[in-house]
Amino acid sequence: MSADPAFSGEVRRAAEWVRSHLAAAGLQAELVETGGPPIVYAESAPVPGAPIALVYGHYDVQPPDPLDEWVTPPFEPTIRDGKIFARGATDDKGQMLTHVASIASWLETSGRLPLQVKLLIEGEEEVGSEHLGNFLRANADRLACDCVVISDTSQFAPGVPAITYGLRGIAYFELRLSGPKQDLHSGVFGGGVANPANALAKMLGALIDEQGRVTIPGFYDDVLPLSERERAEFAALPFDEGAFRRQLGVDSLAGEAGFTTIERRWARPTLDINGLTSGYQGQGAKTVLPARASAKFSCRLVPNQDPQRVAAALRRRLEELLPAGIRLELVEHHGAPGIIMPLESPYLQAAAAAVEKGFGRRPVFIREGGSIPVVNTFAAVLDADVLLLGWGQNDDNPHSPNEKFSLDDYHRGIRASAALWQQLAAITEPLK
Ligand code: BES
Ligand code: ZN
């Protein structure tokens, strides 16, 4: 996992594994040092007159905890019921490997690919791709391509494959509050001094109102509104709220008033707490007034919102909310803007045909709520169309215990990928 530096050796081992598999498939493959986890880069032979596709994926994963909720250990991949269970099964090792497998089979059966493929598999997507932007800018010539292919999203539902044309961005924060110089007896001192845990709960609570709206002044100023056409298209998708509730184990859904569940997840900004720490967490009861309290939380952003503007506005709001007797430190972790992409691209049409060949059904076009930080940089630096072709399912448990990937989806993904190279190669006049 890339979040915890203690595992950097394991992350590097994963990079080497990917490099050796690309080399075994017959590609020139190398590790590129960036200051963070290495980038794995590989190329197939140039094919004059055909477009160039750049495959992007990531070999890093999110931390596996809570470990005791895994049926089989997260780093011992296990097949049950036609699905492979492991951290990274769908996000993104398994999905990324579909392209490696399709390239390997093209080379094995035809001796060559119908177009040039470049592969860039990185190891810090799950922590914001800090070093990748510089690498892209410094190597724009070498990475030149007509389209970028990414399989790190999901299908809309089982049997309903999808191409994703929009993602949310993110701004991730850590708020640290401190009060008295050490933990205190809550009976002796409670009532006489500000409690950082109470302050944290109050401040975080004040960031979202009763309507589910974020109360940071200016937060919604730049939000790209949903068009009536998109709202109609989302509403026409076969989405079953009851099944979604049951999947999550809740009796009702929640979020910003005035928007449907799909709209709230794909096209509206949010603020969610990701972790809370303060006071006594052991067995039984301890009457303590903690000296510190902290929270990790993040905003999902939509196109046109700027992570840095959001961070500055949040900082002002927190300073306003800070009670007397408490000190504040706000750490800004990673940030990335959201994106929405045009649907007119010939590469997208080629991808739709390939998805149909692999999955037996034409894909629907959707937006999704997750983030892939580097997508904007690809579009801007390489001036290439980005194709988000997700083979996963919504209940594959990415970032959760018992992450999985169906072997059928894996094989369908490989077939779609193999067909994609053919479909893209048929675009004989690359746009550049
Ligand atoms: N594969 C996900 C993104 C994703 C998941 C997009 C499902 C659409 C549907 C990606 O690996 C991811 O989780 N990204 C992080 C990025 C963040 C840490 C900067 C995310 O969205 O939390
Ligand atoms: Zn992820």
Side-chain angles (χ1 to χ4, degrees), residues 58 60-62 87 90-92 125-127 152 300 371-372 398-399 403:
H58 63 97
D60 66 321
V61 298
Q62 291 269 334
R87 173 55 88 230
T90 183
D91 184 8
D92 174 45
E125 193 271 352
E126 297 290 6
V127 286
D152 193 22
R300 291 291 165 170
S371 311
I372 303 178
H399 301 202
E403 178 174 349

mmCIF file of all heavy atoms in Angstrom, residues 58 60-62 87 90-92 125-127 152 300 371-372 398-399 403, ligand 2:
data_model
loop_
_atom_site.group_PDB
_atom_site.id
_atom_site.type_symbol
_atom_site.label_atom_id
_atom_site.label_comp_id
_atom_site.label_asym_id
_atom_site.label_seq_id
_atom_site.Cartn_x
_atom_site.Cartn_y
_atom_site.Cartn_z
ATOM 1 N N HIS A 58 -2.442 1.525 -12.109
ATOM 2 C CA HIS A 58 -1.610 1.666 -10.910
ATOM 3 C C HIS A 58 -1.478 0.326 -10.195
ATOM 4 O O HIS A 58 -2.431 -0.440 -10.127
ATOM 5 C CB HIS A 58 -2.107 2.770 -9.975
ATOM 6 C CG HIS A 58 -3.476 2.586 -9.377
ATOM 7 N ND1 HIS A 58 -3.682 2.062 -8.122
ATOM 8 C CD2 HIS A 58 -4.720 2.872 -9.845
ATOM 9 C CE1 HIS A 58 -4.971 2.059 -7.835
ATOM 10 N NE2 HIS A 58 -5.628 2.533 -8.875
ATOM 11 N N ASP A 60 -0.176 0.295 -7.008
ATOM 12 C CA ASP A 60 -0.304 0.499 -5.556
ATOM 13 C C ASP A 60 -1.758 0.304 -5.146
ATOM 14 O O ASP A 60 -2.674 0.347 -5.985
ATOM 15 C CB ASP A 60 0.199 1.891 -5.131
ATOM 16 C CG ASP A 60 -0.658 3.039 -5.693
ATOM 17 O OD1 ASP A 60 -1.090 2.948 -6.854
ATOM 18 O OD2 ASP A 60 -0.886 4.023 -4.966
ATOM 19 N N VAL A 61 -1.954 0.091 -3.849
ATOM 20 C CA VAL A 61 -3.299 -0.175 -3.326
ATOM 21 C C VAL A 61 -3.519 0.643 -2.060
ATOM 22 O O VAL A 61 -2.584 1.234 -1.514
ATOM 23 C CB VAL A 61 -3.491 -1.682 -3.008
ATOM 24 C CG1 VAL A 61 -3.361 -2.518 -4.268
ATOM 25 C CG2 VAL A 61 -2.521 -2.165 -1.922
ATOM 26 N N GLN A 62 -4.754 0.633 -1.591
ATOM 27 C CA GLN A 62 -5.094 1.281 -0.323
ATOM 28 C C GLN A 62 -4.783 0.337 0.837
ATOM 29 O O GLN A 62 -4.757 -0.884 0.654
ATOM 30 C CB GLN A 62 -6.591 1.621 -0.308
ATOM 31 C CG GLN A 62 -6.979 2.724 -1.271
ATOM 32 C CD GLN A 62 -6.936 4.117 -0.645
ATOM 33 O OE1 GLN A 62 -7.085 4.276 0.561
ATOM 34 N NE2 GLN A 62 -6.746 5.135 -1.484
ATOM 35 N N ARG A 87 -6.605 -7.480 -1.768
ATOM 36 C CA ARG A 87 -6.464 -6.032 -1.925
ATOM 37 C C ARG A 87 -5.867 -5.757 -3.315
ATOM 38 O O ARG A 87 -4.888 -6.411 -3.699
ATOM 39 C CB ARG A 87 -5.570 -5.463 -0.813
ATOM 40 C CG ARG A 87 -5.228 -4.019 -0.981
ATOM 41 C CD ARG A 87 -6.481 -3.096 -1.126
ATOM 42 N NE ARG A 87 -7.018 -2.618 0.120
ATOM 43 C CZ ARG A 87 -8.307 -2.707 0.452
ATOM 44 N NH1 ARG A 87 -9.203 -3.274 -0.346
ATOM 45 N NH2 ARG A 87 -8.728 -2.225 1.594
ATOM 46 N N THR A 90 -9.592 -5.546 -7.869
ATOM 47 C CA THR A 90 -10.221 -4.719 -8.902
ATOM 48 C C THR A 90 -9.513 -3.372 -9.044
ATOM 49 O O THR A 90 -9.467 -2.795 -10.131
ATOM 50 C CB THR A 90 -11.726 -4.510 -8.609
ATOM 51 O OG1 THR A 90 -12.303 -3.760 -9.664
ATOM 52 C CG2 THR A 90 -11.967 -3.759 -7.294
ATOM 53 N N ASP A 91 -8.949 -2.856 -7.947
ATOM 54 C CA ASP A 91 -8.408 -1.484 -7.885
ATOM 55 C C ASP A 91 -6.938 -1.519 -7.530
ATOM 56 O O ASP A 91 -6.586 -1.377 -6.388
ATOM 57 C CB ASP A 91 -9.226 -0.700 -6.856
ATOM 58 C CG ASP A 91 -8.845 0.761 -6.767
ATOM 59 O OD1 ASP A 91 -8.062 1.232 -7.597
ATOM 60 O OD2 ASP A 91 -9.331 1.438 -5.829
ATOM 61 N N ASP A 92 -5.968 -1.631 -8.464
ATOM 62 C CA ASP A 92 -6.288 -1.666 -9.879
ATOM 63 C C ASP A 92 -5.493 -2.798 -10.524
ATOM 64 O O ASP A 92 -5.367 -2.866 -11.737
ATOM 65 C CB ASP A 92 -5.945 -0.287 -10.466
ATOM 66 C CG ASP A 92 -6.075 -0.180 -11.958
ATOM 67 O OD1 ASP A 92 -7.087 -0.662 -12.484
ATOM 68 O OD2 ASP A 92 -5.152 0.319 -12.603
ATOM 69 N N GLU A 125 -0.920 6.265 -7.144
ATOM 70 C CA GLU A 125 -2.244 6.795 -7.496
ATOM 71 C C GLU A 125 -3.091 6.962 -6.242
ATOM 72 O O GLU A 125 -3.820 7.936 -6.094
ATOM 73 C CB GLU A 125 -2.938 5.847 -8.476
ATOM 74 C CG GLU A 125 -4.177 6.433 -9.145
ATOM 75 C CD GLU A 125 -5.456 6.213 -8.371
ATOM 76 O OE1 GLU A 125 -5.462 5.465 -7.357
ATOM 77 O OE2 GLU A 125 -6.472 6.797 -8.752
ATOM 78 N N GLU A 126 -2.967 5.992 -5.333
ATOM 79 C CA GLU A 126 -3.842 5.999 -4.159
ATOM 80 C C GLU A 126 -3.452 7.046 -3.126
ATOM 81 O O GLU A 126 -4.101 7.185 -2.095
ATOM 82 C CB GLU A 126 -3.866 4.603 -3.499
ATOM 83 C CG GLU A 126 -4.442 3.495 -4.391
ATOM 84 C CD GLU A 126 -5.940 3.618 -4.628
ATOM 85 O OE1 GLU A 126 -6.549 4.612 -4.210
ATOM 86 O OE2 GLU A 126 -6.510 2.691 -5.234
ATOM 87 N N VAL A 127 -2.361 7.777 -3.382
ATOM 88 C CA VAL A 127 -2.012 8.888 -2.503
ATOM 89 C C VAL A 127 -1.865 10.185 -3.291
ATOM 90 O O VAL A 127 -1.197 11.115 -2.859
ATOM 91 C CB VAL A 127 -0.741 8.594 -1.671
ATOM 92 C CG1 VAL A 127 -1.055 7.597 -0.559
ATOM 93 C CG2 VAL A 127 0.390 8.060 -2.533
ATOM 94 N N ASP A 152 -9.851 1.503 -14.493
ATOM 95 C CA ASP A 152 -9.743 1.701 -13.044
ATOM 96 C C ASP A 152 -11.065 2.250 -12.512
ATOM 97 O O ASP A 152 -11.105 2.969 -11.528
ATOM 98 C CB ASP A 152 -8.577 2.676 -12.765
ATOM 99 C CG ASP A 152 -8.166 2.707 -11.291
ATOM 100 O OD1 ASP A 152 -8.460 1.738 -10.573
ATOM 101 O OD2 ASP A 152 -7.566 3.711 -10.872
ATOM 102 N N ARG A 300 -14.997 15.587 -1.996
ATOM 103 C CA ARG A 300 -15.019 15.218 -3.414
ATOM 104 C C ARG A 300 -15.463 16.460 -4.172
ATOM 105 O O ARG A 300 -16.430 17.127 -3.766
ATOM 106 C CB ARG A 300 -15.988 14.062 -3.661
ATOM 107 C CG ARG A 300 -15.547 12.743 -3.071
ATOM 108 C CD ARG A 300 -14.338 12.153 -3.766
ATOM 109 N NE ARG A 300 -13.752 11.093 -2.963
ATOM 110 C CZ ARG A 300 -12.792 10.264 -3.395
ATOM 111 N NH1 ARG A 300 -12.310 10.366 -4.628
ATOM 112 N NH2 ARG A 300 -12.300 9.355 -2.599
ATOM 113 N N SER A 371 -11.969 9.277 -7.918
ATOM 114 C CA SER A 371 -11.014 10.212 -8.530
ATOM 115 C C SER A 371 -9.817 9.441 -9.070
ATOM 116 O O SER A 371 -9.375 8.474 -8.466
ATOM 117 C CB SER A 371 -10.509 11.207 -7.483
ATOM 118 O OG SER A 371 -11.585 11.758 -6.762
ATOM 119 N N ILE A 372 -9.309 9.888 -10.192
ATOM 120 C CA ILE A 372 -8.027 9.389 -10.707
ATOM 121 C C ILE A 372 -7.227 10.665 -10.979
ATOM 122 O O ILE A 372 -7.416 11.322 -11.995
ATOM 123 C CB ILE A 372 -8.212 8.514 -11.969
ATOM 124 C CG1 ILE A 372 -9.159 7.346 -11.656
ATOM 125 C CG2 ILE A 372 -6.858 8.004 -12.464
ATOM 126 C CD1 ILE A 372 -9.465 6.435 -12.840
ATOM 127 N N PRO A 398 -13.701 -2.015 -3.459
ATOM 128 C CA PRO A 398 -12.416 -1.320 -3.452
ATOM 129 C C PRO A 398 -12.301 -0.473 -2.184
ATOM 130 O O PRO A 398 -13.301 0.059 -1.703
ATOM 131 C CB PRO A 398 -12.481 -0.417 -4.701
ATOM 132 C CG PRO A 398 -13.932 -0.220 -4.960
ATOM 133 C CD PRO A 398 -14.608 -1.487 -4.499
ATOM 134 N N HIS A 399 -11.126 -0.387 -1.612
ATOM 135 C CA HIS A 399 -10.827 0.359 -0.377
ATOM 136 C C HIS A 399 -11.499 -0.275 0.837
ATOM 137 O O HIS A 399 -11.432 0.297 1.923
ATOM 138 C CB HIS A 399 -11.236 1.841 -0.462
ATOM 139 C CG HIS A 399 -10.564 2.593 -1.564
ATOM 140 N ND1 HIS A 399 -10.434 3.962 -1.566
ATOM 141 C CD2 HIS A 399 -9.954 2.178 -2.704
ATOM 142 C CE1 HIS A 399 -9.805 4.347 -2.656
ATOM 143 N NE2 HIS A 399 -9.505 3.275 -3.376
ATOM 144 N N GLU A 403 -12.086 -7.047 -0.855
ATOM 145 C CA GLU A 403 -12.065 -6.566 -2.247
ATOM 146 C C GLU A 403 -11.996 -7.766 -3.183
ATOM 147 O O GLU A 403 -11.332 -8.764 -2.894
ATOM 148 C CB GLU A 403 -10.838 -5.657 -2.459
ATOM 149 C CG GLU A 403 -10.727 -5.156 -3.888
ATOM 150 C CD GLU A 403 -9.589 -4.143 -4.084
ATOM 151 O OE1 GLU A 403 -9.005 -3.668 -3.088
ATOM 152 O OE2 GLU A 403 -9.292 -3.843 -5.253
HETATM 153 ZN ZN ZN B 2 -8.477 3.186 -5.368
#
